[in-house]
Amino acid sequence: MLASALAFSVMGVCVKQVGDRIPAAEVVLARAIVSVALSWWMLQRAGVAPWGQRRGLLILRGAIGTAALLCVYAALAMLPLASATVLQYLYPTITALLAWLVLGESIGRRVLLAMALGWAGVLLVAQPAALLQGAGSLPPMAVLIALGGAVFTSLAYVSVRSLG
């Protein structure tokens, strides 16, 4: 978990560094090429069929994941790194809500409390009142793109859960 968090942090910093020079779609394509090559190699090594049993849902999950990356990388390019990261990390709260709505999973009191705290933290960062007034705040379109990234990330996780 620690290595994964570190890798995602380094990725965010790298995307932020190239965000003003390279379009988000090109960064997503480069990441996809590396991911496909590594995934293909690991699947071949393990002797696992790459398409599984539910090809349509797998393709849909790939499209959702691509949309998520496009939004996340665009938000990283347009927002301060900390703000873009905080907005992206709304995805666990959205995933819990979608898992309840789509998959029928239960939401306990602790999860509801965690969701409320997560959203409260994001509201402190995004400052919606300042967004409406435009006074020294985050650009509203960039915030919406970041939130879209969180929603698409959540949809990708729910689709993976459905695939499993």
Side-chain angles (χ1 to χ4, degrees):
M1 293 280 294
L2 185 60
S4 176
L6 177 64
F8 276 107
S9 296
V10 170
M11 178 190 67
V13 170
C14 291
V15 169
K16 180 69 177 169
Q17 290 298 312
V18 301
D20 59 341
R21 297 185 308 267
I22 301 174
E26 288 183 26
V27 177
V28 170
L29 177 64
R31 182 186 184 276
I33 290 169
V34 171
S35 293
V36 166
L38 288 173
S39 297
W40 188 263
W41 175 72
M42 290 190 304
L43 288 170
Q44 293 300 312
R45 190 169 167 215
V48 175
W51 288 103
Q53 303 298 319
R54 300 171 69 191
R55 183 176 294 192
L57 186 54
L58 187 62
I59 291 170
L60 178 63
R61 188 265 174 249
I64 292 168
T66 299
L69 284 175
L70 284 169
C71 289
V72 169
Y73 290 176
L76 282 167
M78 295 187 289
L79 293 169
L81 183 61
S83 299
T85 302
V86 166
L87 291 168
Q88 170 59 21
Y89 279 116
L90 269 177
Y91 80 85
T93 64
I94 300 168
T95 301
L97 182 61
L98 288 175
W100 174 67
L101 291 171
V102 176
L103 303 176
E105 295 188 6
S106 63
I107 297 181
R109 288 182 184 185
R110 289 170 48 179
V111 172
L112 288 172
L113 176 63
M115 290 170 68
L117 290 173
W119 277 94
V122 168
L123 288 174
L124 287 173
V125 171
Q127 304 168 1
L131 283 175
L132 296 174
Q133 298 166 0
S137 64
L138 300 174
M141 184 55 71
V143 170
L144 288 175
I145 290 170
L147 291 174
V151 169
F152 281 123
T153 300
S154 299
L155 287 167
Y157 277 108
V158 169
S159 66
V160 166
R161 173 84 169 157
S162 181
L163 280 166

